[in-house]
Amino acid sequence: MLANERLTLAIQKRGRLSDGSLNLLQRCGFERRSFDSALFYQAPFLPLDILLVRDDDIPNLIQTTVCDLGIVGENCLQEQENPINPFERVKALGFAKCRLSIALPQEENFTSVDMLKGKIIATSYPTLLQRFLTKNNIQAKIVVISGSVEIAPQLKMADAICDLVSTGKTLAENNLKEVMTILKSQAVLFKSKLPLSKQKQDTLEIILKKWADLS
Ligand code: PRT
Ligand code: ZN
């Protein structure tokens, strides 16, 4: 077997996607405890290699064909995806469910999307937010922050935020309320549109059989 015929899968090293991704790898013969600080692992019984990286780096690893497959949140995928050359979603994986939502200070009275006109909105997802604003014919200023977005209104950096929400606890703790969802997300197995070699495709089919009950 040629070394380059091994299927490569990039997963998040540490974070909200890791647990669900490692559960899937257990089904492929990996022992959970065998993952330590290394960034590269070979599956014991399959021609499958695993790369552990930051989730934000995964779309580019697929785009540049460094890796065949990746697991990220739909939010991360869409933020980085070129609409003219989209990725292929192989399977929705049913974990890390969340939504990308607009939130306002709790005391603010929400009437319609139009009230975002002229506002400053803080987000880590400028592409998805801009797409939503353009679709709704809203001109607003986007301020990009990579984390702790919920603090922006208290610091008077922004009038509103656009961030991921799962339980809603973080919004409530920061005196914010969710007013609109712009994207529903979950973990997704994806690849580029380029076809895999016959052998890699065969390996993918084996993996998908092991994951058949997920959705
Ligand atoms: O280091 P690396 O770059 O790999 O990780 P990261 O910090 O970028 O990502 P991580 O691990 O926080 O999230 C990875 C993915 O998990 C996201 O891209 C989403 O697809 C998914 N996910 C699911 C979430 C959440 N739920 C979530 N609740 N990602 C982030 N959050 C954050 C959110 O940003 C907010 O600050 O949790 C807070 C809100 O949670 P609640 O429960 O209080 O609403
Ligand atoms: Zn990240």
Side-chain angles (χ1 to χ4, degrees), residues 23 25 32 46 49 69 127 133 146 159 180 199 204-205:
N23 283 342
L25 293 184
R32 249 185 123 85
L46 279 171
D49 294 340
L69 295 164
T127 304
L133 294 173
S146 60
D159 306 303
M180 263 174 300
Q199 187 179 359
L204 176 57
E205 309 278 318

Side-chain angles (χ1 to χ4, degrees), residues 12-17 53-56 72-76 96-98 125 148-150 163-171 185-187:
Q12 187 189 33
K13 177 166 173 51
R14 193 170 299 112
R16 288 184 167 87
L17 295 159
V53 291
R54 283 199 62 185
D55 63 349
D56 316 75
V72 294
E74 183 64 38
N75 53 296
C76 172
K97 286 188 176 168
C98 59
Y125 294 90
S148 303
V149 176
E150 294 90 347
D163 196 18
L164 298 174
V165 183
S166 57
T167 61
K169 204 166 155 256
T170 311
L171 289 183
S185 181
Q186 62 174 293

